[in-house]
């Protein structure tokens, strides 16, 4: 069980992982669309007014492919082993499944409503004057409550990043600081490019 | 079947063959012979290499047989190759 949760790619990669991963990306887009959210970045899940399902699907595939491309460049440069592209694409697609769980959690009506309400309230309370450093203390409880509600999604995103790293390190047989540093650089680069891609898609 | 010990149980140093006996006649050969590199890697790696050869060198077949993914088997093979390279260079 522990292997399936934290090191699933020791057991599954290649074609089966790719097929499952593609299903995950499509279902995530549908769930997010129904709940009024967008995955506008490799690691992002936000509420929006309204977006077409086709755009959410495009964002889902773009997020997956952009990270895979960044990891391919890093991994190809560092690895000494022969790797299969299908393993990279498969593991990176399937690694996105916690995002589906996150979208599912946020689509629970009570959670979604409360998150949206608190976000709007806190955004409005943000300091507008230069001499105001922090928002008023009366919003502290709201901020804590929003953090608490968002905690499962944060945990799921951390888990997703771990799965992405595990897939990358396994496919290119990388270990140690070279694997960690190159993964972080690729992830940051992919996140930045994916934000532009999301902007372009929308 | 008994496993051929490759490391000294007392100090973990490399073991050598000092005597060989013919299975058909009483001839015995004495000397100092290093084990071939493939016998100097750990027993589980020897078994992995044997399975790999019996699977006609197919990593896909090995992955199916071991119930793991293709890159996991390929990485294991990479690790054994690295060990063998070390042993060959010594």
């Amino acid at each position: 069980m522990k292997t399936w949760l934290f090191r699933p790619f020791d057991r599954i990669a290649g074609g089966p992982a790719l097929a499952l991963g593609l299903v995950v990306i499509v279902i995530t887009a549908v769930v997010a669309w129904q709940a009024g959210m967008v995955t506008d970045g490799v690691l992002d899940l936000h509420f929006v007014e309204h977006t077409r399902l086709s755009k959410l699907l495009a964002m889902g595939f773009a997020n997956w492919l952009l990270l895979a491309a960044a990891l391919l460049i890093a991994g190809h440069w560092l690895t000494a082993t022969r790797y299969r592209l299908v393993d990279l694409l498969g593991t990176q697609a399937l690694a996105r499944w916690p995002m589906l769980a996150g979208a599912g959690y946020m689509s629970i009506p009570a959670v979604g409503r409360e998150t949206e309400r608190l976000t709007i309230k806190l955004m409005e309370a943000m300091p507008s004057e230069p001499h105001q450093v922090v928002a008023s203390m009366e919003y502290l409880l709201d901020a804590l409550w929003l953090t608490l509600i968002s905690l499962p999604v944060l945990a799921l995103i951390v888990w997703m990043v771990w799965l992405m790293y595990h897939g990358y390190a396994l496919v290119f047989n990388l270990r140690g600081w070279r694997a960690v540093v190159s993964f972080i650089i690729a992830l940051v680069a992919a996140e930045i490019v994916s934000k532009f891609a999301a902007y372009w898609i929308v | 079947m008994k496993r051929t010990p490759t490391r000294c149980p007392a100090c973990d140093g490399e073991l050598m063959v000092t005597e060989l006996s013919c299975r058909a006649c009483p001839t015995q050969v004495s000397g100092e012979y290093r084990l071939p590199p493939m016998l100097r890697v750990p027993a589980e790696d020897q078994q992995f290499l044997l399975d790999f050869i019996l699977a006609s060198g197919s990593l896909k077949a090995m992955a199916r047989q071991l119930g793991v993914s293709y890159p996991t088997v390929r990485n294991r093979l990479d690790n054994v190759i690295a060990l063998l390279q070390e042993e060959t260079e010594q």
Side-chain angles (χ1 to χ4, degrees):
Chain A
M1 188 63 187
K2 208 172 156 186
T3 303
W4 280 109
L5 286 177
F6 299 108
R7 301 190 62 86
F9 307 129
D10 286 352
R11 300 275 172 85
I12 183 170
L18 181 60
L20 273 173
L22 291 177
V23 171
V24 164
I25 290 170
V26 171
I27 298 176
T28 305
V30 173
V31 172
W33 172 68
Q34 284 198 324
M37 289 181 287
V38 282
T39 50
D40 55 343
V42 171
L43 306 173
D44 298 63
L45 186 65
H46 298 123
F47 283 102
V48 286
E49 287 288 311
H50 178 72
T51 309
R52 288 215 308 268
L53 178 60
S54 58
K55 287 183 177 177
L56 271 159
L57 283 167
M59 278 183 210
F61 286 117
N63 293 335
W64 160 56
L65 288 172
L66 285 169
L67 180 63
L71 293 175
L72 178 65
I73 293 166
H76 184 80
W77 183 47
L78 291 172
T79 192
T81 193
R82 283 165 61 184
Y83 60 86
R84 299 188 312 176
L85 187 61
V86 70
D87 288 323
L88 177 68
L89 292 172
T91 54
Q92 293 309 313
L94 193 53
R96 302 195 66 79
W97 93 261
M99 187 63 96
L100 170 59
Y105 169 73
M106 293 302 278
S107 68
I108 297 169
V111 176
R113 268 198 312 271
E114 193 65 355
T115 307
E116 222 174 342
R117 184 186 71 79
L118 288 169
T119 306
I120 292 167
K121 190 176 173 186
L122 289 168
M123 289 298 279
E124 283 170 355
M126 287 292 276
S128 52
E129 298 299 318
H131 63 273
Q132 272 183 285
V133 181
V134 289
S136 166
M137 285 299 284
E138 67 181 277
Y139 296 102
L140 186 64
L141 269 180
D142 286 331
L144 285 174
W145 181 225
L146 180 63
T147 308
L148 206 65
I149 293 174
S150 311
L151 222 49
V153 177
L154 290 175
L156 286 165
I157 287 174
V158 170
W159 185 14
M160 182 175 75
V161 171
W162 160 254
L163 292 179
M164 288 166 168
Y165 170 76
H166 165 50
Y168 166 68
L170 181 79
V171 168
F172 293 106
N173 198 14
L174 296 170
R175 269 166 273 178
W177 67 268
R178 282 188 348 148
V180 175
V181 172
S182 59
F183 174 78
I184 291 170
I185 293 170
L187 182 64
V188 171
E191 173 68 20
I192 293 167
V193 177
S194 69
K195 292 305 263 184
F196 283 108
Y199 179 77
W200 181 73
I201 290 167
V202 172
Chain B
M1 197 175 83
K2 282 196 288 184
R3 280 189 290 114
T4 308
T6 57
R7 312 303 299 186
C8 168
C11 72
D12 206 34
E14 182 189 334
L15 289 174
M16 296 181 85
V17 176
T18 55
E19 192 174 291
L20 291 158
S21 304
C22 175
R23 292 181 73 181
C25 76
T27 302
Q28 291 188 325
V29 181
S30 293
E32 284 191 349
Y33 305 100
R34 283 191 82 187
L35 289 168
M38 280 182 56
L39 289 181
R40 294 204 296 267
V41 297
E44 60 268 27
D45 291 334
Q46 288 178 31
Q47 186 60 51
F48 178 82
L49 287 170
L50 183 66
D51 292 341
F52 181 61
I53 292 162
L54 291 177
S56 304
S58 166
L59 289 174
K60 275 186 190 172
M62 283 282 287
R64 268 198 304 273
Q65 193 181 316
L66 297 171
V68 296
S69 68
Y70 177 92
T72 305
V73 179
R74 201 219 41 234
N75 291 353
R76 176 94 192 268
L77 182 64
D78 283 350
N79 297 344
V80 178
I81 290 170
L83 261 180
L84 279 173
Q85 279 170 340
E86 269 176 40
E87 291 294 341
T88 311
E89 282 162 14
Q90 277 175 15

